[in-house]
Amino acid sequence: MYRFLLTPRWWGINVFAVLAIPVCLFMGSWQLSRFETRVDSHREQQTQADDARAAASAPLRELLPVSTETSGRQATATGRYDAGHQLLVPDRDLDERKGFYVLTLLRTDAGKALPVVRGWLPGDAGASADAAKVPAPPSGEVTVTGALQSSESPTSKGVHSSGGLPQGQIGVISAASLVNLVPYGVYDAWITLREAPAPLTAVPPAAPPNSGLDLKAFQNLGYTGEWFVFAGFVAFMWFRLLRREAEAARDLALGITPEDPNGPKPDGPDDAPQKRSPAEAA
């Protein structure tokens, strides 16, 4: 009854199923391994972030360039605040409240300036009343300590990248944005002070870039399910075709043939000869 499996048609079906199912299972396993790798990387980066927050402060030069290991570390730097180039960073939320950062450049002895977020204030950076609440930076040489952060990008969470900001404001905290506003070099990093002067509120450090479970991780998990479903679908369709072919072969062996839609039809009531009236016969 299963001799039909040796026909060329079924050879093609069997070869396709034998190749497709392992390929689908392999691709599903590979996507699952990618998801697990991203989860492990996320856990490792979380551990590094916790270690960085618990580590003792270190000089800025020892922590540059910023990496996943040094992001969030307490860095110290000595220099003088450039009060003439103090900037406000609008549209930054803290504890679900609208406000802005106060950013001041600290000119170090190395010649470059370190962007320092001295704190956060509620309100609108464009409102004169709110901007007037910003305290002036300390004068003279100071030593600051704060969490080291990597430069932001236009796609970073919370940044104001639409442009068109008024003078005295900046949307993205990065060396690329600041170098066009000041006549000296800027470190490709910034810090947020551990202790902010009143009435400012200290800004907590952000997580290192690419350290969370992003959309790609869940895409890998979704692709895993899709590939396994494809493998099951191929197996289901092969079994269904096999069952249908086996039933047809069994019926043929019993002498039961499928009705030919183009063959002659049995006589029915419509095919019976009709009687003619005497007038029609004449």
Side-chain angles (χ1 to χ4, degrees):
M1 183 171 61
Y2 292 99
R3 297 178 64 181
F4 61 84
L5 291 173
L6 301 178
T7 61
R9 172 173 173 266
W10 269 95
W11 267 107
I13 294 175
N14 292 334
V15 169
F16 172 78
V18 168
L19 294 178
I21 292 176
V23 168
C24 291
L25 293 177
F26 170 78
M27 293 300 297
S29 300
W30 179 76
Q31 290 288 352
L32 181 60
S33 68
R34 293 292 298 164
F35 173 74
E36 292 175 344
T37 299
R38 292 182 185 276
V39 171
D40 293 339
S41 177
H42 170 67
R43 290 174 178 170
E44 181 180 354
Q45 290 168 346
Q46 289 295 321
T47 301
Q48 292 175 349
D50 293 339
D51 293 342
R53 285 191 289 267
S57 60
L60 176 66
R61 62 180 180 275
E62 296 180 5
L63 303 178
L64 295 177
V66 185
S67 64
T68 54
E69 290 80 10
T70 61
S71 180
R73 283 283 304 271
Q74 293 294 318
T76 60
T78 301
R80 295 175 180 272
Y81 279 121
D82 183 2
H85 290 96
Q86 182 162 266
L87 299 166
L88 305 182
V89 188
D91 302 328
R92 299 300 176 105
D93 297 344
L94 185 63
D95 297 333
E96 299 183 354
R97 293 187 298 165
K98 297 291 184 181
F100 54 92
Y101 292 168
V102 178
L103 175 69
T104 313
L105 293 168
L106 181 74
R107 302 196 63 177
T108 65
D109 296 336
K112 285 188 174 182
L114 174 65
V116 177
V117 172
R118 298 197 295 127
W120 173 91
L121 272 178
D124 183 3
S128 301
D130 292 332
K133 299 177 183 178
V134 176
S139 59
E141 187 174 81
V142 295
T143 298
V144 297
T145 302
L148 186 64
Q149 304 281 267
S150 60
S151 290
E152 295 179 335
S153 68
T155 58
S156 298
K157 182 180 180 181
V159 303
H160 191 295
S161 58
S162 59
L165 293 175
Q167 186 177 2
Q169 295 186 25
I170 188 171
V172 182
I173 307 174
S174 68
S177 300
L178 291 166
V179 74
N180 298 318
L181 302 177
V182 295
Y184 41 78
V186 179
Y187 283 109
D188 189 18
W190 58 283
I191 67 170
T192 171
L193 292 186
R194 181 167 53 188
E195 297 179 358
L200 300 178
T201 302
V203 176
N210 304 318
S211 61
L213 285 178
D214 55 7
L215 180 61
K216 292 182 180 180
F218 294 101
Q219 285 178 340
N220 291 136
L221 188 61
Y223 294 152
T224 298
E226 288 181 0
W227 281 113
F228 287 152
V229 169
F230 291 158
F233 179 75
V234 172
F236 169 75
M237 290 303 299
W238 181 88
F239 177 77
R240 185 175 181 182
L241 290 174
L242 175 69
R243 182 178 178 182
R244 180 181 297 177
E245 198 84 9
E247 290 176 350
R250 182 186 59 191
D251 292 344
L252 186 63
L254 295 175
I256 303 174
T257 58
E259 181 180 349
D260 184 2
N262 297 322
K265 297 181 180 179
D267 292 340
D270 294 339
D271 298 324
Q274 300 179 356
K275 295 183 178 181
R276 301 169 64 184
S277 64
E280 290 176 340

